[in-house]
Amino acid sequence: MFFLTRTCCFVGIALTLLNGIPQAQEAMEAAETLVNEQTTTPSVSVSTDTALEEKLRAIVAKLSLRQKVMQMHTMGYPGITLGEEMKTLIEEDCIGGFFLQVLSNFTFPEECGALTSTLQQCALQSTHGVPLFLAMDMEGGVAAPLHYMLGATPTPGNMALGASGREQDAYAAYNAIGSEMRLCGANLNYAPAVDVLTEPKNPDYTVRSFSGSTAINAVMAQGAVRGLQEANVIACVKHFPGLACYAEDTHRAAPHITWDEATLWKDDFAHWRAAITAGADMIMTCHAYVDVWDIEYPVTLSKKILQGVLREKLQYNGVILTDSMGMGAIGKNWESGEAAVLAVKAGCDRILQVSRDLDGLRTRVDAIMAAVQRGEIPESQIDASVLRTLRLKAKYGLFTNPLAASPHAIATGMGSPARVAANKRAALNGVVLLRQEAGVLPLPKEGKKILVICPPSSITRAGKGKEVMPLGYTLGYKVQEKVADATEVFVDTVPTGHQVAYALRKAQEAEIIVVGQLLAIQSPSQVDFLHQVLALDKPVIIINMGVASDIALFPEAKTVLAANSPAPISISAAVDVLFGEAQPGGKLPMSAGKNYPIGFESQQIR
């Protein structure tokens, strides 16, 4: 069914473009008629492909240099409605797309749908008629702009999927994400992040990574890309070269990958080959240096890497997108216009600016235009990048039907029972029981005083300054669903003295203590607190809610269960295991010490 729909989109675009670009409603009606008439044609004919290519090239030829360079850009959208500045940016300047964020642009899915449809109608009714990329960071788990607490399907998050190791689980999560994005009119997901996490102290990747194994990430990349594509959403796989082997955060500084050539290629970049084989249409670059490849420029600005490695050695022919150019790794070392020019010269087809700074956008566009006008960048290169963008927009039906579903269809289509059930299975498959003290599990539902010490529903993200992250339902809440009189005490990932004192006082009254651990490697005060809890002469169960390597910090813990995600669906799966209502089905996605390597298979509750 997906193939038929995608084929009809291609044919519909070609036919509507033959007589120029129609208004949005006319284009959608033409495509709908074509879908209804389509019966036996399994693929697009060569002549149709040729006609489409000619019309896309004709669009490029009609655009001014400013419009072409604008088409290469995506910026953060300012506000919740279409104002005059943005209307001009779409209609006259032909901007390529917008990045949408929850709260800044919408809260409820229906609000997202209303905004995206308004923006696309403006684009399609303009003289150029080029639709927009409307992008999100829907990485899954707690990284969910379309939020599970507002009706969207809850998903486990990448590291829990990596602990599952099953391609069908990655597919289930990302197909749910893609299906609900497209309902709301979003068509491009800056995901999956396939970075192999080999430095657990990195404060940015943590559970955003599938695992510390290239082989695991390769399997996950295939399932995730396929899941998004079959929901008719573009997968932007990130962050090339996908080696999180440094402790620095590229939002703040430009790290250096210092591996030699043999180490870089020891796994043959299998995670990228898998993503490319699966059909990844867009790849986002990383702002790190790879010293052995290019000591002068980070990946985003390096022609040696983007052309020599990504294009030539890995044979990637799709769209290359920068990570946000406002990040510290770039912004602290180059002026914004200079960096944009370097990125285009390196081979980036698209420039991403997550911020909503219109002056910053204009600075980058003006700088690239000036570089073209002085012969530093061939205009033919700009044309090629714009053509790649238009082909991708055509491939996903954006010229014919880019609009969101109706508010009723969005409300009833989010969080379908089938999607939720598939993701509950994936979450349970991502739980790993490392060790258990005799007689502790399963936990009793009555007769014992159970204390749950856990992060609150919104945490301070340890290692990221004062950044706050919402989690949703807490570990204590999920335990209280089983044992109503269990006591819950909140201790943040960076505990305060008052939180620690109160938690230790309540621990003295408990008979069984369940502790949710998250981002411990980034928080010495949390590690110290947990050692104090573990020193009590009571049964203590550690629930690892983040990167499994944190478990190695607590060798004295006798019962350890890894949910591998702070997402409520994964916490719920771990609690089901705690009470003997399910058995865990995962393997460690990260090493948790010398006795617990990557791939360590979960114990079963005895």
Side-chain angles (χ1 to χ4, degrees):
M1 183 61 193
F2 163 75
F3 182 77
L4 176 62
T5 303
R6 182 66 61 81
T7 299
C8 293
C9 286
F10 264 92
V11 179
I13 297 160
L15 294 183
T16 54
L17 285 172
L18 284 173
N19 295 309
I21 302 171
Q23 301 298 332
Q25 189 59 43
E26 294 172 350
M28 287 187 289
E29 289 173 356
E32 183 177 351
T33 300
L34 199 60
V35 170
N36 291 335
E37 292 175 352
Q38 178 77 35
T39 55
T40 58
T41 306
S43 62
V44 182
S45 68
V46 174
S47 59
T48 302
D49 275 339
T50 302
L52 172 58
E53 179 71 8
E54 289 175 354
K55 296 307 173 182
L56 294 179
R57 289 179 179 274
I59 293 174
V60 176
K62 290 178 182 178
L63 296 177
S64 68
L65 176 59
R66 183 170 191 82
Q67 287 176 319
K68 287 186 288 190
V69 176
M70 272 286 188
Q71 183 61 206
M72 295 171 66
H73 281 76
T74 292
M75 70 172 286
Y77 189 78
I80 59 175
T81 58
L82 178 60
E84 284 303 313
E85 276 191 322
M86 290 301 104
K87 193 169 185 288
T88 299
L89 201 63
I90 295 169
E91 290 181 340
E92 298 180 15
D93 292 334
C94 195
I95 189 168
F98 294 108
F99 176 66
L100 304 179
Q101 293 178 290
V102 68
L103 300 182
S104 297
N105 305 125
F106 64 90
T107 299
F108 293 93
E110 295 90 339
E111 294 172 335
C112 180
L115 176 61
T116 57
S117 289
T118 298
L119 298 177
Q120 292 289 23
Q121 285 170 334
C122 180
L124 289 178
Q125 291 169 4
S126 68
T127 54
H128 57 74
V130 178
L132 298 161
F133 283 141
L134 296 176
M136 291 181 179
D137 267 337
M138 281 286 292
E139 297 179 1
V142 294
L146 297 173
H147 208 268
Y148 40 82
M149 296 190 78
L150 294 174
T153 300
T155 60
N158 281 359
M159 190 152 285
L161 294 172
S164 161
R166 299 163 175 86
E167 183 179 341
Q168 65 265 31
D169 286 341
Y171 174 90
Y174 278 90
N175 187 252
I177 287 169
S179 297
E180 293 172 4
M181 284 181 64
R182 199 60 195 248
L183 271 176
C184 297
N187 51 53
L188 169 58
N189 194 4
Y190 294 151
V194 300
D195 310 85
V196 179
L197 181 60
T198 55
E199 176 46 83
K201 292 181 181 178
N202 185 294
D204 190 46
Y205 288 106
T206 67
V207 293
R208 297 174 65 201
S209 174
F210 288 112
S211 77
S213 161
T214 304
I216 292 172
N217 287 23
V219 173
M220 296 296 100
Q222 288 177 316
V225 169
R226 189 166 56 89
L228 288 170
Q229 287 180 333
E230 294 188 15
N232 212 24
V233 164
I234 301 161
C236 178
V237 186
K238 59 187 184 183
H239 309 78
F240 183 80
L243 302 171
C245 57
Y246 42 83
E248 299 90 346
D249 182 352
T250 53
H251 292 86
R252 301 176 182 176
H256 285 256
I257 297 172
T258 59
W259 292 355
D260 61 23
E261 193 79 21
T263 305
L264 285 167
W265 287 98
K266 69 183 177 66
D267 294 320
D268 199 34
F269 287 94
H271 51 324
W272 290 103
R273 293 192 187 277
I276 293 168
T277 299
D281 289 298
M282 189 179 292
I283 285 176
M284 181 186 289
T285 63
C286 177
H287 294 331
Y289 289 84
V290 184
D291 290 356
V292 75
W293 287 343
D294 192 339
I295 195 64
E296 184 177 4
Y297 294 113
V299 174
T300 300
L301 310 183
S302 172
K303 185 173 183 178
K304 293 178 182 178
I305 297 174
L306 297 185
Q307 297 297 323
V309 180
L310 184 56
R311 291 286 191 210
E312 295 175 13
K313 292 188 177 180
L314 296 181
Q315 295 291 294
Y316 177 66
N317 297 313
V319 172
I320 299 176
L321 169 76
T322 71
D323 203 345
S324 181
M325 296 294 279
M327 293 167 63
I330 300 296
K332 290 181 179 179
N333 297 291
W334 289 273
E335 295 294 333
S336 60
E338 178 190 12
V341 169
L342 289 170
V344 173
K345 289 174 68 175
C348 292
D349 299 300
R350 301 198 54 75
I351 307 295
L352 173 61
Q353 171 192 307
V354 167
S355 80
R356 296 174 282 278
D357 177 15
L358 193 53
D359 289 339
L361 172 71
R362 289 171 177 152
T363 297
R364 292 184 177 95
V365 169
D366 289 346
I368 294 170
M369 288 178 62
V372 173
Q373 290 162 348
R374 63 176 177 261
E376 191 175 330
I377 298 174
E379 189 165 357
S380 60
Q381 180 184 339
I382 302 295
D383 291 349
S385 290
V386 174
L387 187 59
R388 281 194 190 97
T389 287
L390 297 187
R391 285 174 184 148
L392 190 52
K393 290 179 175 182
K395 179 179 179 180
Y396 283 81
L398 303 188
F399 281 92
T400 54
N401 188 9
L403 304 189
S406 69
H408 175 74
I410 293 173
T412 57
M414 303 290 283
S416 74
R419 291 189 205 119
V420 172
N423 278 277
K424 283 184 176 179
R425 288 193 296 272
L428 186 60
N429 286 339
V431 176
V432 181
L433 178 60
L434 282 79
R435 52 187 180 264
Q436 55 188 312
E437 185 178 2
V440 171
L441 299 181
L443 293 183
K445 293 185 178 180
E446 55 186 24
K448 294 288 185 180
K449 292 181 181 179
I450 297 177
L451 171 67
V452 183
I453 303 172
C454 62
S457 59
S458 184
I459 64 166
T460 302
R461 194 172 167 190
K464 296 281 282 185
K466 295 182 180 180
E467 183 177 319
V468 174
M469 173 177 284
L471 302 182
Y473 299 115
T474 64
L475 172 60
Y477 178 86
K478 291 298 181 182
V479 171
Q480 287 171 340
E481 288 182 331
K482 312 287 187 185
V483 181
D485 62 356
T487 300
E488 180 179 38
V489 173
F490 294 138
V491 175
D492 204 349
T493 62
V494 183
T496 67
H498 291 297
Q499 289 173 340
V500 168
Y502 181 70
L504 291 174
R505 188 163 66 248
K506 298 301 289 185
Q508 297 295 338
E509 304 169 7
E511 295 175 277
I512 298 173
I513 303 170
V514 179
V515 182
Q517 177 277 123
L518 177 62
L519 299 172
I521 200 168
Q522 305 291 342
S523 176
S525 59
Q526 182 188 160
V527 174
D528 180 67
F529 164 65
L530 292 181
H531 283 314
Q532 292 181 65
V533 175
L534 288 164
L536 298 173
D537 188 22
K538 299 172 185 286
V540 178
I541 299 101
I542 295 284
I543 306 295
N544 179 68
M545 300 168 58
V547 179
S549 51
D550 283 4
I551 295 166
L553 299 172
F554 310 104
E556 74 271 38
K558 296 178 181 177
T559 303
V560 180
L561 186 66
N564 296 298
S565 170
I569 193 170
S570 291
I571 300 306
S572 185
V575 170
D576 285 346
V577 171
L578 278 185
F579 286 92
E581 296 177 7
Q583 290 285 4
K587 299 179 181 180
L588 280 180
M590 297 285 292
S591 170
K594 65 179 182 179
N595 296 321
Y596 301 97
I598 293 175
F600 175 86
E601 189 165 356
S602 177
Q603 296 183 12
Q604 301 295 286
I605 292 180
R606 295 191 290 265

